[in-house]
Amino acid sequence: LNEKVIYDCVDIHKQPSLSHPLLHNHKIQMEPSFYIPKPKHNGQKINEIKRTINCPNGTVPIQRNTKENFADGKYWAENFVTPLTAGGHGIHFAGVRTQDKGPYHGLAAWMSVHDLNVNHDQISYTTIYVESEVNNKVNSIQTGWMVNPNLFGDNRTWSYGFWKGANGAGCYNTICPGFVQVSKTDLLSAPFPYPGKGQGERAVYTSILQDKVTGNWWTTDVKYNGPDTHVGYWPKELFDLISNGVDIVGVTGAARASSSGISPPMGNGHLPTEDEKAAAHVKNLQILDSEFKVKESNKYNLEKVLDNNKCYGLRDGKKRIFFKESILFSYGGPGGDSCGI
């Protein structure tokens, strides 16, 4: 995967997350009670990126953390800006979110994945998220892909997960206790392989869905071909606002400027144009409604979020006869030093 990154196969019942004070009496849920209906694949070549490890039965892969890892993870978690709390901070968003009253119980989406040139104190990422805010208190979960040299120690594109919960606590990946890993093969956070010749476009098709029976928030790698892989979940005990669903779900590209005010590229660095696939793009957005039913995004009023049209763009996809094959939107742009704060 990456020479500098070491994963240990740890007994599933002894993984570090279970040492979290809120999880002392937590019973591990081995699989979720839901099923994600998938669009029929139209035969187009898509590289659903494999980022796997083979741990023995009864164990799960956990990234070995260094002191630097922990300090960087803590810093970025404390300074993390969610789409709900945005406003200034040198962070820009381009995406869509629900605007009808919830509660919602999650979402799934397909996102193209790209390599970007990002400086050491910038961040660029694309994510699905679930979120609620009450009196300046926020509960949030995100998963997607990110280029964050300060956090990951390199300029590669990584998959990631992030949560912010009770008492303002929060964490990236498995840097500190919280996320419960269940898959013995698929990882919440790992560097994506570089694209090979003739592989088709790289993409990640992922979800954050609340289990109706336990209330835990699962993330699943959705596979066009073959069974989905349930990676693991954020236990409901970590949160104090979202035990019965969230107010908002969305999918967005995001870019955070350096301290000198220069914004990084977002998406694949290109502004969206008529050619939908020339820029980064999102499709197959499905939303789990208040009754835990999966519905396509065209059944909802989605609000567009684009706070800076000088450096980034957001463009609706073309409508196709088969909605499930339509690109929902394309987004992104080059960034630069005139994006504002």
Side-chain angles (χ1 to χ4, degrees), residues 304-333:
K304 290 182 193 165
V305 181
L306 177 67
D307 64 296
N308 184 297
N309 58 13
K310 280 191 291 192
C311 298
Y312 308 108
L314 177 68
R315 190 181 178 112
D316 286 338
K318 299 185 182 84
K319 299 284 181 282
R320 285 181 169 70
I321 298 168
F322 296 109
F323 174 75
K324 289 176 179 172
E325 289 175 15
S326 301
I327 286 173
L328 179 64
F329 65 87
S330 51
Y331 70 96

Side-chain angles (χ1 to χ4, degrees), residues 19-65:
S19 67
H20 192 289
L22 294 174
L23 301 180
H24 281 169
N25 299 314
H26 183 77
K27 185 176 185 304
I28 292 181
Q29 183 182 7
M30 297 307 288
E31 58 181 13
S33 61
F34 54 72
Y35 163 76
I36 304 165
K38 284 176 280 197
K40 289 210 166 40
H41 191 28
N42 61 6
Q44 180 189 348
K45 196 163 194 185
I46 293 201
N47 181 20
E48 289 183 50
I49 303 160
K50 301 287 185 290
R51 44 180 206 284
T52 57
I53 279 181
N54 265 322
C55 279
N57 286 340
T59 69
V60 291
I62 301 291
Q63 186 177 338
R64 195 182 292 180
N65 291 311

Side-chain angles (χ1 to χ4, degrees), residues 64-255:
R64 195 182 292 180
N65 291 311
T66 62
K67 278 184 185 155
E68 291 79 16
N69 256 156
F70 185 75
D72 290 343
K74 203 165 162 23
Y75 170 80
W76 286 112
E78 284 166 2
N79 290 278
F80 197 81
V81 179
T82 74
L84 261 184
T85 55
H89 304 281
I91 189 158
H92 301 294
F93 294 100
V96 300
R97 63 187 179 196
T98 50
Q99 54 182 358
D100 298 331
K101 192 168 164 39
Y104 301 97
H105 295 285
L107 76 167
W110 181 103
M111 298 169 275
S112 61
V113 170
H114 307 279
D115 296 316
L116 290 169
N117 193 7
V118 171
N119 291 335
H120 73 96
D121 58 347
Q122 298 172 325
I123 313 174
S124 189
Y125 60 100
T126 295
T127 187
I128 57 172
Y129 61 92
V130 301
E131 212 159 271
S132 285
E133 180 181 24
V134 177
N135 300 331
N136 294 328
K137 191 160 48 164
V138 172
N139 281 191
S140 178
I141 305 172
Q142 304 187 358
T143 187
W145 61 265
M146 174 180 278
V147 184
N148 184 342
N150 240 336
L151 179 66
F152 295 116
D154 60 27
N155 212 306
R156 293 184 67 173
T157 304
W158 286 63
S159 59
Y160 84 99
F162 174 81
W163 64 275
K164 195 165 191 67
N167 308 317
C171 199
Y172 276 101
N173 308 325
T174 52
I175 289 171
C176 44
F179 180 78
V180 175
Q181 176 79 27
V182 172
S183 170
K184 64 175 191 155
T185 56
D186 284 40
L187 302 153
L188 178 65
S189 179
F192 287 114
Y194 291 116
K197 277 197 177 138
Q199 274 189 329
E201 63 181 335
R202 295 188 301 162
V204 59
Y205 191 175
T206 192
S207 68
I208 304 169
L209 297 171
Q210 187 171 33
D211 190 279
K212 188 176 183 178
V213 177
T214 62
N216 298 324
W217 290 90
W218 279 83
T219 183
T220 296
D221 286 338
V222 186
K223 308 276 170 57
Y224 275 116
N225 305 311
D228 299 340
T229 304
H230 303 301
V231 181
Y233 61 89
W234 292 272
K236 68 173 177 198
E237 293 94 327
L238 298 175
F239 306 100
D240 51 1
L241 298 179
I242 59 175
S243 56
N244 297 309
V246 293
D247 296 334
I248 289 177
V249 302
V251 55
T252 189

